[in-house]
């Protein structure tokens, strides 16, 4: 959520910033709702002051044995007026809140304007492997090697699901184990959050209302709280300190979590989305940080470096891109994508988005801290990065590491768990 004070102070600057990611920006409804709310706050304060004054006068008259009937009628009318103003105020605050929740975050100055076409590659690591003629795609490789059963996965869960089997399941778990050990050794706090979250969590994370229909909601009986399956553990972690003041000496809070991620939208069924590239359920290890405002940019650089290091330890050719405003999440002011090369489709696919939300999520979730020596609290800054998502790493590992005989070399960090250096076709 944006700072209403900033919109009130310089609406034109806010509008110009939002135009990086929106075709049209009209802040007048927000400003009008804010003006009405402030007028009603002032009116309510005046009415309460008048009511308090009347109460004192009634007490004074009673003490002197004088008639207070007329003044009591006036006080009763004041009470009715206060109740009416408070009803209007609640409606005005609700309207302002709805309008503010719909506004995306302000992109950072470094964030390019526009969509995917404006994304900027900032670094590249390794070389595209020369696989020669006869190279197989990840679907063919995973099928021949008995790593993924797509048909039975669809039988179990429907379209957009798959079943890891044998050494494929071992590879998947080895990746998750590798990532968790790396983050744990780096001092990140390990969390295993619920997969079922209340709807408040979705709004606080900034994913609702815009992406409300992109998650799996559970049917609730009348009077029950709404809930949904988490689309990413970022949604859970940002809510850990919701409505809390984080002790300053605890900042930065660095955490990571492993969860499956559940998403309704599974994309197209074209060549670029085959296999495990995109689905309704996939595994991901997520990093998250709560920091002071001045620590935000350094934390973003750290998260990008950590994700790049993980991909490099797996030996995978990849690039890192700074996303343009319209290609980044609406909740984030700045995002870098780490993207692995998938030879069969001749393109890079994102395996991690490292993003800095500024105080946007913290305002929605009401997560604060008290700067040293300060009387008032301020909002923390939040950041997140996949560390990493596995459903696109497996295709990259299979294709980049395939050998002429149809075998696949296992990345060195995964070999202790998988139990072999090379996965060969079954005899």
């Amino acid at each position: 959520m944006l700072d209403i004070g900033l919109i009130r102070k310089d609406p034109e600057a806010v509008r110009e910033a939002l135009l990086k990611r929106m075709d049209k920006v009209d802040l007048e409804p927000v400003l009008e709702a804010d003006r009405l709310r402030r007028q009603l706050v002032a009116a309510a304060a005046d009415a309460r002051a008048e009511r308090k004054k009347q109460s004192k006068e009634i007490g004074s008259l009673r003490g002197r044995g004088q008639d207070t009937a007329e003044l009591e009628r006036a006080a009763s009318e004041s009470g009715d007026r206060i109740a009416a103003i408070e009803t209007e105020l609640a409606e005005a605050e609700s309207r302002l809140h709805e309008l503010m929740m719909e506004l995306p975050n302000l992109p950072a100055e470094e964030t390019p304007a526009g969509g995917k076409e404006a994304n900027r590659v900032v670094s590249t690591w390794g070389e595209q492997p020369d696989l020669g003629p006869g190279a197989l795609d990840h679907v063919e490789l995973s099928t021949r090697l008995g790593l993924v059963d797509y048909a039975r996965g669809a039988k179990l869960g429907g379209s957009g699901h798959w079943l890891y089997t044998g050494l494929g399941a071992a590879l998947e778990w080895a990746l998750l184990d590798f990532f968790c050990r790396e983050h744990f050794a780096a001092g990140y706090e390990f969390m295993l959050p619920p997969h079922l979250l209340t709807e408040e969590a979705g709004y606080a994370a900034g994913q609702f209302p815009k992406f409300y229909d992109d998650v799996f909601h559970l049917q609730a009986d009348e009077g029950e709280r709404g809930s949904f399956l988490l689309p990413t553990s970022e949604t859970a972690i940002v809510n850990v300190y919701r409505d809390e003041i984080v002790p300053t000496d605890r900042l930065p809070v660095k955490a990571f979590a492993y969860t499956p991620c559940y998403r309704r939208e599974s994309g197209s069924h074209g060549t670029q989305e085959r296999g495990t590239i995109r689905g309704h359920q996939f595994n991901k290890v997520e990093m998250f940080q709560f920091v002071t405002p001045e620590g935000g940019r350094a934390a973003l650089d750290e998260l990008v470096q950590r994700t790049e290091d993980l991909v490099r330890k797996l030996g995978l050719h990849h690039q890192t891109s700074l996303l343009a405003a319209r290609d980044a999440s609406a909740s984030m002011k700045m995002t870098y994508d780490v993207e692995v090369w998938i030879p069969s489709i001749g393109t890079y696919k994102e395996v991690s988005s490292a993003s800095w939300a500024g105080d946007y999520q913290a305002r929605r979730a009401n997560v604060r801290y008290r700067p040293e020596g300060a009387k008032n609290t301020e909002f923390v800054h939040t950041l997140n990065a996949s560390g990493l998502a596995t459903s696109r790493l497996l295709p990259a590992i299979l294709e980049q590491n395939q050998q002429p005989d149809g075998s696949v070399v296992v990345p060195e960090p995964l070999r202790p768990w998988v139990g072999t250096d090379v996965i060969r076709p079954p005899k």
Side-chain angles (χ1 to χ4, degrees):
M1 183 180 294
L2 299 181
D3 180 2
I4 185 60
L6 178 62
I7 298 175
R8 191 187 303 141
K9 179 181 178 181
D10 197 346
E12 185 56 29
V14 172
R15 191 184 76 84
E16 287 295 326
L18 289 177
L19 283 173
K20 275 187 167 186
R21 66 184 354 148
M22 300 172 71
D23 291 329
K24 185 170 58 176
V25 180
D26 183 7
L27 295 175
E28 188 51 38
V30 175
L31 292 169
E32 178 57 34
D34 178 53
R35 283 192 290 267
L36 177 59
R37 183 192 65 83
R38 287 187 292 151
Q39 289 170 3
L40 290 170
V41 167
D46 291 343
R48 291 191 195 99
E50 179 63 21
R51 180 71 175 82
K52 184 176 182 180
K53 178 181 177 183
Q54 290 167 336
S55 296
K56 285 185 176 180
E57 290 178 0
I58 289 171
S60 177
L61 290 174
R62 283 177 178 170
R64 298 197 300 270
Q66 297 180 18
D67 180 33
T68 60
E70 184 175 344
L71 197 54
E72 286 180 13
R73 281 195 297 272
S76 178
E77 291 173 359
S78 294
D80 292 341
R81 187 163 61 254
I82 292 170
I85 293 173
E86 287 178 341
T87 298
E88 283 189 74
L89 178 58
E91 293 173 354
E93 288 178 335
S94 177
R95 172 62 176 159
L96 177 61
H97 182 74
E98 290 175 0
L99 292 170
M100 292 293 290
M101 291 287 271
E102 291 173 357
L103 289 175
N105 202 351
L106 300 181
E109 286 188 19
E110 295 172 69
T111 299
K116 288 180 181 292
E117 73 287 346
N119 291 350
R120 293 205 304 259
V121 176
V122 296
S123 67
T124 303
W125 186 88
E127 300 292 334
Q128 294 180 8
D130 182 9
L131 300 175
L136 303 176
D137 68 22
H138 56 281
V139 176
E140 184 70 20
L141 282 164
S142 58
T143 301
R144 288 190 181 189
L145 296 172
L147 307 179
V148 182
D149 193 326
Y150 301 102
R152 290 190 173 97
K155 180 173 71 174
L156 294 175
S159 176
H161 295 270
W162 54 83
L163 172 68
Y164 292 111
T165 57
L167 289 180
L171 268 176
E172 176 76 1
W173 202 253
L175 283 167
L176 297 169
D177 176 69
F178 168 53
F179 300 150
C180 288
R181 284 188 289 105
E182 288 285 308
H183 301 319
F184 193 72
Y188 280 64
E189 180 183 357
F190 194 7
M191 294 183 179
L192 290 172
H195 297 184
L196 192 61
L197 304 178
T198 63
E199 291 197 351
E200 293 94 327
Y203 284 100
Q207 288 152 353
F208 296 170
K210 183 174 182 180
F211 298 108
Y212 187 86
D213 293 332
D214 288 351
V215 303
F216 290 98
H217 295 272
L218 270 69
Q219 185 173 350
D221 293 332
E222 188 174 349
E224 287 186 340
R225 299 172 74 183
S227 57
F228 65 100
L229 289 171
L230 85 175
T232 168
S233 49
E234 169 204 342
T235 315
I237 302 176
V238 71
N239 281 274
V240 169
Y241 297 106
R242 189 175 73 209
D243 296 322
E244 293 185 28
I245 299 174
V246 182
T248 306
D249 58 6
R250 281 214 61 203
L251 295 174
V253 174
K254 299 181 180 182
F256 76 97
Y258 156 69
T259 66
C261 302
Y262 308 93
R263 300 183 185 180
R264 291 187 64 87
E265 193 277 315
S266 61
S268 67
H269 297 283
T271 303
Q272 293 201 8
E273 308 298 342
R274 295 181 66 218
T276 64
I277 293 289
R278 186 183 294 272
H280 291 302
Q281 177 185 326
F282 60 93
N283 292 314
K284 181 154 69 82
V285 176
E286 184 82 3
M287 294 180 285
F288 201 94
Q289 291 198 27
F290 299 87
V291 304
T292 60
E294 56 270 20
R297 183 52 206 256
L300 178 62
D301 292 341
E302 177 191 334
L303 291 173
V304 172
Q305 185 64 57
R306 288 195 60 75
T307 57
E308 290 177 334
D309 285 347
L310 291 174
V311 182
R312 290 171 186 177
K313 287 180 179 180
L314 293 172
L316 296 175
H317 167 58
H318 65 279
Q319 67 180 22
T320 301
S321 299
L322 173 62
L323 298 193
R326 297 188 186 209
D327 195 31
S329 166
S331 300
M332 301 302 161
K333 62 184 292 180
M334 194 171 184
T335 297
Y336 287 93
D337 271 6
V338 177
E339 305 156 334
V340 293
W341 175 249
I342 309 291
S344 65
I345 55 179
T347 192
Y348 296 88
K349 284 290 186 178
E350 172 252 319
V351 293
S352 176
S353 284
S355 301
W356 178 17
D359 63 5
Y360 184 86
Q361 288 180 321
R363 286 182 181 277
R364 297 170 79 104
N366 193 28
V367 183
R368 295 155 291 151
Y369 79 108
R370 182 171 283 105
E372 188 174 351
K375 186 175 181 179
N376 298 323
T377 60
E378 295 183 12
F379 291 103
V380 300
H381 279 207
T382 59
L383 305 97
N384 70 280
S386 306
L388 299 162
T390 59
S391 59
R392 293 175 180 175
L393 282 173
L394 187 62
I397 289 171
L398 296 180
E399 292 195 17
Q400 291 195 32
N401 291 355
Q402 65 180 295
Q403 305 300 302
D405 64 354
S407 63
V408 171
V409 175
V410 178
E412 190 277 330
L414 311 183
R415 293 174 187 174
W417 214 105
V418 177
T420 183
D421 295 356
V422 181
I423 299 176
R424 304 183 188 280
K427 295 181 180 179

